[in-house]
Amino acid sequence: MLFVAKRLGSALLVMFAISIVVFLIFFATPGVDPAARLAGRGASPEVLSQVRHAFGFDQPLPVRYVLMMDHLFVTRDLTSYVNIGDKVVPQIMQAAPVTLSLVLGAAVIWIVLGLGGGILATRFRGSVVDPIIMVIGIAAVSLPAYWVGEVVNLITQDRLHDSVFSWVPPLGYVPFAQNPGQWALHLLFPWLTLALLYGGIYARVLRAELVTAMGEDYVRTGRAKGLSERRILWRHALRGSLSPVVSLFGLDLGSLIGGAALLTEVVFGLPGIGKLTWDSLQNLDLPVIMACVLYAAFFVVAANAIVDLLYAVIDPRVRRA
């Protein structure tokens, strides 16, 4: 329990530090004047002064930070600087399920592809299967997600849409509660596009770990006892090789849920956190950008904390470190 409390406490401190840094970058950088953007072009000094006072921009930085965090996390009435009156938190809450649907579905696919590819490459090491899987993995890692997405859209939405891919719906998103079938159809190719990149990474990582594990003393002992290669691979080597995969999966999942799937969402027209961040950057909507960055930071920090706690469960020595 002490280890859990310390780890969660450190995560809270990290989030607090990130919130300060993000606030200073967006609202205290020299030359950045949110009041000028709110007041519009050609605003008189009197209007600028009124806007600064109304939004608290004339307060000391610590007071401004507290007011900003209060509007974002407590009262939840922080509004956009571009679309005046649009609250930031509802925009985040509306976009989050889209990103979660994209990332979790893609994660299932890339875990199956990555673990399956890594195990097959190790099981048939020395045959033609191993280099074929590794070449496919390298190609998958090397292809940018936005380029793959554009190619997929070109084929499924334009060139072959009237024949082979007539069943593919237009770009966009349909909520699961509204129509589960259309929800899955709209996300099928975004899932595959995102899973292609990460599946290749996981296959190569797992294959490297398994090859190392297969040369360990306990594996040689198992062979001496007459255990089959299949049993050694599945019952012994695989369990000891999953720790790096678990760590990598936690970090990838946290960053993607936080908005790292931005290009995939933009290419496929998915109104998730990444798309919201992209639109806010285009318009320099500082409150929305700040909220998206803090949202992303939360999931990255939470993923790190969960991975550390899982390590403590797997290896008790971590608790004493």
Side-chain angles (χ1 to χ4, degrees):
M1 290 301 296
L2 179 60
F3 174 81
V4 174
K6 289 172 62 177
R7 189 63 188 86
L8 294 179
S10 64
L12 290 175
L13 288 176
V14 170
M15 279 302 303
F16 175 65
I18 291 174
S19 68
I20 293 176
V21 172
V22 171
F23 171 79
L24 292 176
I25 290 174
F26 289 132
F27 295 96
T29 303
V32 175
D33 187 4
R37 185 168 185 81
L38 286 168
R41 288 185 178 180
S44 65
E46 292 78 11
V47 173
L48 285 174
S49 178
Q50 292 175 1
V51 171
R52 289 192 181 97
H53 180 72
F55 284 86
F57 298 145
D58 55 351
Q59 300 288 334
L61 278 178
V63 176
R64 291 173 59 187
Y65 169 79
V66 172
L67 289 174
M68 185 66 68
M69 295 302 112
D70 178 71
H71 285 306
L72 181 58
F73 295 109
V74 181
T75 61
R76 298 188 176 185
D77 59 356
L78 183 65
T79 59
S80 166
Y81 287 172
V82 175
N83 301 310
I84 305 299
D86 288 352
K87 294 183 179 180
V88 173
V89 174
Q91 294 183 59
I92 297 288
M93 298 300 293
Q94 185 177 0
V98 182
T99 298
L100 285 171
S101 298
L102 169 64
V103 174
L104 295 180
V108 172
I109 298 174
W110 88 57
I111 283 294
V112 172
L113 293 178
L115 296 186
I119 293 171
L120 282 175
T122 306
R123 180 68 179 82
F124 296 100
R125 186 160 56 108
S127 69
V128 69
V129 175
D130 184 15
I132 289 177
I133 293 176
M134 289 300 98
V135 168
I136 294 175
I138 293 175
V141 172
S142 303
L143 296 175
Y146 68 88
W147 182 84
V148 175
E150 290 289 1
V151 172
V152 168
N153 286 339
L154 179 65
I155 295 174
T156 61
Q157 298 290 336
D158 184 18
R159 300 295 176 83
L160 300 179
H161 181 70
D162 294 332
S163 55
V164 181
F165 295 102
S166 58
W167 53 272
V168 178
L171 300 180
Y173 177 78
V174 174
F176 179 84
Q178 179 178 328
N179 190 322
Q182 286 298 314
W183 170 82
L185 275 179
H186 279 80
L187 287 170
L188 176 60
F189 285 106
W191 282 341
L192 295 175
T193 300
L194 197 58
L196 180 66
L197 168 64
Y198 289 92
I201 295 174
Y202 281 60
R204 294 185 59 80
V205 169
L206 182 60
R207 191 258 186 196
E209 292 294 327
L210 284 174
V211 168
T212 302
M214 294 296 282
E216 297 290 340
D217 291 338
Y218 68 88
V219 171
R220 287 194 287 267
T221 302
R223 290 195 183 102
K225 291 181 178 181
L227 297 179
S228 65
E229 287 294 314
R230 177 179 298 180
R231 182 169 183 177
I232 291 173
L233 176 64
W234 284 96
R235 296 289 299 274
H236 301 283
L238 182 60
R239 291 184 62 184
S241 302
L242 287 178
S243 293
V245 176
V246 170
S247 178
L248 187 62
F249 179 73
L251 297 177
D252 287 339
L253 193 67
S255 62
L256 286 170
I257 292 176
L262 184 152
L263 294 177
T264 304
E265 291 182 359
V266 171
V267 168
F268 287 98
L270 300 174
I273 295 296
K275 183 66 163 54
L276 179 62
T277 305
W278 172 264
D279 293 338
S280 303
L281 289 169
Q282 297 290 98
N283 298 319
L284 290 178
D285 196 350
L286 296 181
V288 181
I289 298 173
M290 183 187 71
C292 290
V293 172
L294 291 177
Y295 167 92
F298 168 78
F299 279 102
V300 172
V301 172
N304 276 277
I306 292 172
V307 167
D308 288 346
L309 294 177
L310 287 176
Y311 276 163
V313 173
I314 296 171
D315 188 354
R317 293 174 298 177
V318 175
R319 307 172 200 168
R320 300 188 292 269

